[in-house]
Amino acid sequence: MGTTISDIAKKSGVSLATVSRVLNNSGYVKEETRNKVLETIKEMNYTPSAIARSLSKNETNTIGVIVPDITNSYFGELIKGISEVAEASDLNIVLFNTDDNLEKELKALTVIKEHRLKGVIMSPMFGENEFNSNYVNTLENLNIPIIFVVADVKYTSFNGVFVDNIKGGFDATNLLIKEGHKKVGIITGLLSSEPAMDRLMGYKKALAMNNIPIREEYIFKGDFKLSTGYDITKNVLNMEDGPTALVVCSNMMTMGAVKATFDENKKIPNDLAIVGFDKLEFLDMVGINITYMEDCPEELGKSAMYMLKEVIDNKDISEKKRLTISPTVIIKGSEKKV
Amino acid sequence: MGTTISDIAKKSGVSLATVSRVLNNSGYVKEETRNKVLETIKEMNYTPSAIARSLSKNETNTIGVIVPDITNSYFGELIKGISEVAEASDLNIVLFNTDDNLEKELKALTVIKEHRLKGVIMSPMFGENEFNSNYVNTLENLNIPIIFVVADVKYTSFNGVFVDNIKGGFDATNLLIKEGHKKVGIITGLLSSEPAMDRLMGYKKALAMNNIPIREEYIFKGDFKLSTGYDITKNVLNMEDGPTALVVCSNMMTMGAVKATFDENKKIPNDLAIVGFDKLEFLDMVGINITYMEDCPEELGKSAMYMLKEVIDNKDISEKKRLTISPTVIIKGSEKKV
C-alpha cells in the first residue's frame, strides 16, 4: 500500500484537512505550511490519489453504465460508443451487467448512489411485466443524472436516447407491401417490452395505411429467442393460406426463421420473404442475405453519453431531454416478391 | 451535492480526521466527541460515502478490467464471467475498451493506478510486433495486483489464466490426420501474437508426431480477419496439389473460409475439410456445422477473477500464479474425410 495523506499529515505535523487544502488548492493555508507539506509530498514520493481528490469534491470522475446482457454484441457496441465519448472527457466507466435481472439492476443503482458516481447510462431490462413502483421510486430518488438508452421504462419520462420502433415496424411492413405482398405476418418480441409493442404498432399502421385488413392469425407472439423464431416459422411454412412475408422483430428470431426455412427445404424469398431487425452480419458473412431494420447501437451510445455530459454540466435536471433515432433499412433482397 | 464529511466536521466542531475516525471506527475518539459526531451525521442525514471509506483505506472496492474489443462477444462473455465472481465479492468493475490500441492500454493502466483500484484483469492487445520495454516497465511498476487473461505479454511471466493453444493447434491437426487427411494446411493468426504462434507450433507437432513432413506452402499467414480467411481459402480451393483439409485459427477467418467454399460452389467437408477455432454458434444456428476448438471465455473470466481475489487477499505478489486451460474440441462433422 502506498503513502496516504494521513502519512503526509503526520510527517508534516499538520492536520489531514490542511494536507487536503494544499492538494486541492482550496481554502487558506499559510505559505510556510504549504511549502512544508509540498516538500513532504515530494520526499515521500506521493502521487495525489484520484480518490482523495474526489472526496474533496464529494464526487468522482466516474459514471455507471448498466446493460442487461454484456454477451450480446449489440450492447458491446453500445458501450464502445459510450466509452469513446467518455474517454475524450476523462470519464471512467463502471460497468454493471444485470443478466436481465431486476434485483441486479436495483443493486447496481444502489452501488452507483453509494459511490457518488457522476451519472448513469442505463439500458433497462426488457420484459418487466408489472408496473413496479419500487423500481420507479428508486430511479426517481437516485439524485444522480440518469440517461436511459435503447429501451424506456414504461409510464415514466426520464431523459433518454431511444429508437423509433414504431417507424421501424412501419417501414419493415411497408417495404414488404410495396414489393407486392398482401399477406404479411409478424413475429413480435415480448409484448411487455416497449420496443416490441412499438414495432407491432408500426406493423398495424402500415397495414391500415395500405388498406390491408389486420388478420390476428398473422400476428405471432415471440420472445426474442431463436427457438421461438424457428418454431413459429416452421409453423408458418406449413400453414394453409399463411403469410407470404414475415416481419421478424429480433436478430435471434430471424436466425431461427432462416434455419427453419433451411430445414423445411424452402427458399427465401421465393417461399417466404423476410425482413428482420438488428444487425445480421453473421448471416451476411456466409452469404445469406436478409433485409433488416438497423439501429446503430454505437451511435446510440455516443448520443447517450453526450446527453449525460450536458445534464451533468448544466446541473439542470428539471427539463427532460428525449432524443429518438430512426432505424434505417438495409436492403439485401429477402423482401422481394418472386 | 449532498452533505460532505467537511460539513459534518464543521457542524460538530471537530477536525476532518476525527470524523473520519468515527466513520471508520478506527483510532481513538473520546466517547463524548464520538456521540456528537454521530448525532450530527444523523441530523444532517448523511450517508457514509463509499469514496470517504475508500480514502481512509487508500483503496477502493473496485477493480479494473481491460479488453481489446468490447464489440466481440468473446470478450463480452469473458466480462460476464469476471463480473459474476466480482459481484459475489461486492467488487465493482471499471471497464476499459482499448480498440487494440497500445496507447489506450497504457492510459487505462495510468487511470487504474491513479484511482488506487484493488486490482486489474487485462486481456492485452494482440499483434504487438515489437518488444516494448516502456510497456513492460509500466506493467512491472504498477504495484497493483494484475492478472492477464486469454493472451500473455511476450517475454514476461505475470500472473494469468491462459489457454493451451499448443494443445489446441495439436488437437485440431491431429483430428484431421486421424480422419485420414494427409495434406493438412493451416491459416494462422497474426504470428506476432502468442496464441497464433502456439497454435502453429501445435500444428507442426501433430504433423511430426504422425510422420508427415511439413510443407511450407501449406502454412498460410492470416491475421484473424474474415476477408483474409476468404481470400486464402479461395486460393486453396484452386491450388494444384493443395491441402484437402484446413485448420483455421480464428472464428472470423473460419466464416471467411465457409463463405469462400460457398462462392466457389464447393462442399465442406467433401471438397475441403475444416476445423475452426472459437465459438461458431452463428454458423450452427443456420445449420452450417463446422467442427471447432473451443475455449470457454466465461470460465476464463471466472478463473481470472478468483485468481485476482487470491492475490489481493494474500498480498503475496512474489509467487507467480499461472493457470492454463485446455480447449475442447466440438465435433460437428466438417473434419471428415469423404
Side-chain angles (χ1 to χ4, degrees), chain B residues 102-115:
Chain B
L102 188 66
E103 227 172 276
K104 283 197 182 179
E105 225 173 59
L106 284 167
K107 196 187 158 201
L109 290 168
T110 310
V111 170
I112 284 168
K113 191 168 184 175
E114 230 201 13
H115 280 75

Side-chain angles (χ1 to χ4, degrees), chain A residues 1-6 15-17 20 46-62 69-73 75-77 79-80 83-84 87-88 90 92-97 99 104 107 111 114-117 226 252 255-256 258-259 262-263 281-288 298 315, chain B residues 1-5 15-17 20 46-62 69-73 75-77 79-80 83-84 87-88 90 92-97 99 104 107 111 113-117 226 252 255-256 258-259 262-263 281-288 298 315:
Chain A
M1 199 168 298
T3 309
T4 68
I5 65 166
S6 299
S15 73
L16 212 58
S20 169
Y46 173 76
T47 329
S49 139
I51 302 170
R53 280 205 302 275
S54 69
L55 176 70
S56 72
K57 298 184 196 148
N58 200 23
E59 63 180 21
T60 64
N61 65 337
T62 304
D69 180 9
I70 184 72
T71 69
N72 185 332
S73 64
F75 293 108
E77 285 177 32
I79 294 170
K80 185 185 163 84
S83 90
E84 258 182 53
E87 203 181 314
D90 274 321
N92 301 307
I93 290 173
V94 178
L95 178 75
F96 300 89
N97 180 44
D99 290 322
K104 284 196 183 183
K107 199 190 156 198
V111 170
E114 229 201 13
H115 281 75
R116 310 274 201 272
L117 299 193
L226 186 138
M252 295 316 267
M255 295 274 193
V258 169
K259 194 175 182 188
F262 277 18
D263 285 1
E281 65 180 5
F282 282 95
L283 290 175
D284 240 47
M285 283 170 187
V286 294
I288 300 167
E298 197 175 326
K315 315 254 170 192
Chain B
M1 199 170 296
T3 309
T4 69
I5 65 166
S15 74
L16 212 58
S20 169
Y46 172 75
T47 328
S49 139
I51 302 170
R53 278 205 303 276
S54 70
L55 176 70
S56 73
K57 297 184 195 150
N58 199 22
E59 62 179 24
T60 64
N61 66 338
T62 304
D69 180 10
I70 185 72
T71 69
N72 184 332
S73 65
F75 293 108
E77 285 177 31
I79 294 169
K80 185 186 162 84
S83 88
E84 258 182 54
E87 202 182 314
D90 274 320
N92 301 309
I93 290 172
V94 178
L95 179 73
F96 300 89
N97 181 43
D99 289 323
K104 283 197 182 179
K107 196 187 158 201
V111 170
K113 191 168 184 175
E114 230 201 13
H115 280 75
R116 309 279 201 271
L117 300 194
L226 186 139
M252 296 314 268
M255 296 273 192
V258 168
K259 193 173 182 190
F262 276 18
D263 285 2
E281 64 180 7
F282 282 95
L283 289 175
D284 241 47
M285 283 170 187
V286 292
I288 300 167
E298 195 176 327
K315 315 254 171 192

Side-chain angles (χ1 to χ4, degrees), chain A residues 276-333:
Chain A
F277 267 85
D278 306 328
K279 215 187 238 177
L280 293 167
E281 65 180 5
F282 282 95
L283 290 175
D284 240 47
M285 283 170 187
V286 294
I288 300 167
N289 300 306
I290 303 291
T291 296
Y292 62 94
M293 302 304 301
E294 178 181 56
D295 47 85
C296 178
E298 197 175 326
E299 286 308 314
L300 288 170
K302 283 185 188 170
S303 300
M305 188 61 228
Y306 282 124
M307 188 182 277
L308 181 58
K309 275 187 54 183
E310 219 181 299
V311 174
I312 290 171
D313 292 346
N314 293 328
K315 315 254 170 192
D316 172 17
I317 54 167
S318 59
E319 196 195 316
K320 291 302 166 200
K321 291 172 200 297
R322 293 173 72 84
L323 177 69
T324 302
I325 294 177
S326 286
T328 48
V329 57
I330 311 292
I331 297 281
K332 297 279 181 180

Side-chain angles (χ1 to χ4, degrees), chain B residues 23 35 53 56 83 87 90 125 127 195 215 220 253 307 314-315:
Chain B
L23 284 172
N35 288 340
R53 278 205 303 276
S56 73
S83 88
E87 202 182 314
D90 274 320
M125 52 172 295
R215 293 172 67 163
F220 305 93
M253 291 195 299
M307 188 182 277
N314 294 327
K315 315 254 171 192

Side-chain angles (χ1 to χ4, degrees), chain A residues 248-261:
Chain A
V248 188
C249 289
S250 86
N251 49 3
M252 295 316 267
M253 291 195 300
T254 306
M255 295 274 193
V258 169
K259 194 175 182 188
T261 56

